[in-house]
Amino acid sequence: LGERTVQIDCDVLEADGGTRTAAITGAYVALHQAMGMLVGRRILPKLPLRGAVAAISVGILDDQLLLDLYYQEDFRAQADFNVALTDLGEVVELQGATEAAPFLRQRVEQVLALAARGMEPLFRAQREAIRKL
């Protein structure tokens, strides 16, 4: 990018885990669009993006893992996580906290596995949105 800075501001005024993660997923599409514009204007020689980034929420409710929590689930969850991954499966962000009792470390692996499965439709939606730009 040279001496350029890209700032993507996602103002989420009333949010649960799903709203915050949707903002991250949509922000990648906006970033891709902005970078594509710079390439189209020959300011950049190629897209400087290594891969897509998307995010999803995972919670533990009644000792069950739930994907993409809605407000009532997020509010009642014993623990909740926001997970951002690349389309290559790399972890960008893993944020989690318990609201009740601690959980075993192995639970984090289960959270990541469920999040990764839940990301596939998000990456498909991003690719489709970018194709339509």
Side-chain angles (χ1 to χ4, degrees), residues 8-104:
I8 300 173
D9 183 21
C10 300
D11 292 326
V12 180
L13 302 178
E14 292 186 32
D16 54 23
T19 309
R20 290 185 295 273
T21 58
I24 292 168
T25 302
Y28 170 76
V29 175
L31 177 63
H32 192 284
Q33 182 180 21
M35 295 298 101
M37 181 188 68
L38 292 174
V39 170
R41 292 182 180 174
R42 299 184 191 274
I43 296 170
L44 293 176
K46 64 178 184 157
L47 278 177
L49 304 174
R50 294 183 194 154
V53 174
I56 199 161
S57 62
V58 177
I60 302 172
L61 181 61
D62 300 326
D63 204 37
Q64 298 294 314
L65 288 179
L66 297 177
L67 186 64
D68 196 18
L69 302 176
Y70 63 90
Y71 177 77
Q72 288 82 5
E73 292 170 334
D74 190 35
F75 182 75
R76 293 182 33 238
Q78 290 107 357
D80 57 68
F81 299 83
N82 291 327
V83 181
L85 300 174
T86 70
D87 57 353
L88 298 175
E90 301 160 315
V91 176
V92 174
E93 179 182 56
L94 174 60
Q95 174 200 19
T98 182
E99 303 295 333
F103 50 85
L104 296 173

Side-chain angles (χ1 to χ4, degrees), residues 1 28 126:
L1 290 177
Y28 170 76
Q126 285 177 327

